[in-house]
Amino acid sequence: MALGWEGYGLFWALVELLRNEGTHRLHKHYKSIAYALHTKEDHVKSIINDFDLFAKDDDFFWSESLLKRMELKEERSEKMRNAANKRWNKDVDAQAMQKHSISNAQVMQLKERKGKEILNEESHNEIFRTLWKSTIWIEGIAIKNKATIDQVQKHLNEFRQECILKEEFKVSEKDAKEHFINWMKRGNPIPDKNENTTSRAKSNIENNWW
């Protein structure tokens, strides 16, 4: 190359300019190119036209080898973008499925919990129905507390309702009896038997829950 190392440097500088162009082609504005590369216009013209280093037409010049390299680069980039999009979509789908699975699991747990609560409450109420009808046990508590059977039954029903509110469901008659006795001892005595007519009416209504 007649321009020596300067020509070598100009060649790669021109290739770099072409690479940065969207079409990888440049107008043959020799003066502007020379100004941008801080070199002489005739040197730029010589590199472009005299050594078959670039393809050209009346207005543009370009590098065939650069076009091929850029085409391969774009193909690789496209493949990488497609692969990245697939991974992204896969991750999004996986997250959506995970959220859906978690949501379904939460619904199932809620249904299961509600089902257990219903079963527990029904079993709880059935135990207290049996106790309410346990005449001997009720009479024993009434005698010991100087109360009427009606008062004991009303008090037992209040205890049943409080247990439901606290979700402290009883699992056996023995369990219910022991906790009822302890509950009365812990500051919940049976009200005085000299209650008025309104209280007795309320008691009868509450005791009709079974």
Side-chain angles (χ1 to χ4, degrees):
M1 185 177 289
L3 297 176
W5 285 107
E6 181 186 356
Y8 181 82
L10 280 176
F11 169 75
W12 286 110
L14 289 170
V15 170
E16 187 66 22
L17 289 176
L18 290 168
R19 185 181 184 279
N20 293 333
E21 284 293 309
T23 62
H24 307 303
R25 297 169 185 263
L26 279 173
H27 276 282
K28 292 191 289 186
H29 295 159
Y30 304 120
K31 186 174 182 179
S32 298
I33 296 172
Y35 180 80
L37 298 180
H38 306 288
T39 188
K40 296 178 180 179
E41 181 180 348
D42 59 336
H43 290 181
V44 171
K45 188 182 294 185
S46 177
I47 290 293
I48 293 172
N49 297 306
D50 296 342
F51 303 102
D52 294 325
L53 297 174
F54 298 99
K56 49 193 172 295
D57 56 23
D58 292 339
D59 299 311
F60 296 90
F61 73 97
W62 61 91
S63 168
E64 293 290 354
S65 61
L66 175 66
L67 290 178
K68 291 178 181 178
R69 290 198 302 274
M70 296 308 295
E71 184 178 352
L72 290 173
K73 180 178 181 296
E74 183 59 31
E75 287 179 0
R76 287 195 296 269
S77 296
E78 183 66 22
K79 288 180 181 179
M80 292 176 66
R81 279 195 296 270
N82 291 336
N85 287 335
K86 287 181 180 179
R87 286 196 299 272
W88 169 260
N89 292 333
K90 185 177 180 181
D91 290 342
V92 170
D93 290 342
Q95 290 174 1
M97 290 184 67
Q98 184 179 19
K99 289 181 180 178
H100 182 67
S101 299
I102 291 173
S103 178
N104 286 341
Q106 289 172 339
V107 171
M108 292 300 294
Q109 288 175 356
L110 181 60
K111 287 182 178 179
E112 184 178 351
R113 180 183 173 187
K114 284 293 182 184
K116 288 181 179 179
E117 287 178 357
I118 291 171
L119 290 174
N120 287 339
E121 185 172 339
E122 289 179 353
S123 175
H124 174 84
N125 286 337
E126 188 59 37
I127 288 170
F128 278 89
R129 286 190 189 97
T130 302
L131 294 183
W132 192 81
K133 296 174 183 178
S134 300
T135 306
I136 296 176
W137 181 71
I138 293 289
E139 287 178 348
I141 294 176
I143 293 170
K144 186 174 182 180
N145 291 274
K146 297 179 180 180
T148 65
I149 290 176
D150 182 66
Q151 285 175 316
V152 175
Q153 288 176 328
K154 175 180 178 295
H155 210 47
L156 181 64
N157 186 36
E158 290 175 353
F159 175 64
R160 174 191 67 85
Q161 292 172 329
E162 183 175 309
C163 290
I164 291 174
L165 291 174
K166 294 180 178 180
E167 296 186 358
E168 295 177 353
F169 302 112
K170 304 309 169 192
V171 296
S172 67
E173 291 179 29
K174 180 182 179 182
D175 180 39
K177 287 178 179 180
E178 290 178 355
H179 284 130
F180 178 58
I181 299 300
N182 290 333
W183 180 71
M184 288 192 295
K185 290 179 179 179
R186 291 198 304 267
N188 298 286
I190 297 173
D192 191 278
K193 63 181 179 180
N194 295 321
E195 60 185 352
N196 57 34
T197 305
T198 302
S199 296
R200 285 197 298 272
K202 182 180 178 183
S203 171
N204 289 334
I205 293 172
E206 289 178 340
N207 285 331
N208 284 334
W209 62 277
W210 36 70

